[in-house]
Amino acid sequence: MKFFSKSVVNLHGWVNEQSFFAKLSRNALRLGKPVVIQLYSLFLLFKSPQTPLRIKMLILGALLYFLSPIDLIPDFLGPLGFTDDIAVIAMVCKQLQTALTPALKEQAQNAINRFFTNKA
C-alpha cells in the first residue's frame, strides 16, 4: 500500500491545476455547469490532504480520463464527444456522495462561476 501512496502523491503534479483549468475553460459551456461543478469538486477532493488514498485513486482515474486526449469517444465530436467523460465523472461522483460535501460543492461552484458569467 505504501507504493500506491507514493505513486498517488507523485501524480498530484500530473493532475495539475493549470492543465485541468485549461481543458475545463475550453469546454465548460459544452460540458454544462452541473458537470463542471462535479469535476471541480472531484479536483478539490483529490488535492485535499485529508482525502483517503482509496478515494484519491478513484478520483485520479476520472480526472486522468477527462484530461487524456485518448477517449472512447473523441472530444472533438462536439456534444457527443464528452458523453463518455460525463459518464465516468457521474459514476465517480455517485460513488463518492458522502465525501462530496455540500461545502465542497459550494466551493467548487464559486470557483467555476467565472466560466459561466455572461455566457449562460
Side-chain angles (χ1 to χ4, degrees):
M1 196 67 155
K2 239 180 188 176
F3 169 76
F4 286 122
S5 180
K6 287 180 183 177
S7 297
V8 171
V9 169
N10 290 338
L11 287 172
H12 269 256
W14 221 62
V15 180
N16 66 50
E17 204 156 356
Q18 184 178 1
S19 62
F20 178 76
F21 272 120
K23 184 160 185 177
L24 202 59
S25 64
R26 281 192 313 271
N27 300 295
L29 292 177
R30 278 191 256 167
L31 290 166
K33 195 170 186 174
V35 175
V36 174
I37 291 170
Q38 286 180 326
L39 263 170
Y40 194 63
S41 296
L42 289 175
F43 182 79
L44 292 173
L45 192 57
F46 179 75
K47 291 293 186 176
S48 172
Q50 289 82 30
T51 303
L53 178 62
R54 184 189 76 73
I55 291 176
K56 284 190 178 210
M57 291 175 64
L58 191 59
I59 295 169
L60 181 64
L63 293 178
L64 289 177
Y65 191 82
F66 172 70
L67 291 172
S68 173
I70 301 167
D71 278 349
L72 189 59
I73 303 171
D75 294 343
F76 65 82
L77 291 177
L80 292 178
F82 284 105
T83 54
D84 58 331
D85 298 77
I86 292 169
V88 169
I89 294 159
M91 180 185 67
V92 171
C93 285
K94 179 76 173 158
Q95 290 180 349
L96 300 178
Q97 284 182 70
T98 56
L100 293 169
T101 63
L104 187 72
K105 290 177 187 175
E106 184 178 341
Q107 183 182 356
Q109 184 163 356
N110 291 337
I112 62 94
N113 277 339
R114 66 181 171 191
F115 296 129
F116 296 94
T117 305
N118 298 326
K119 293 179 184 176

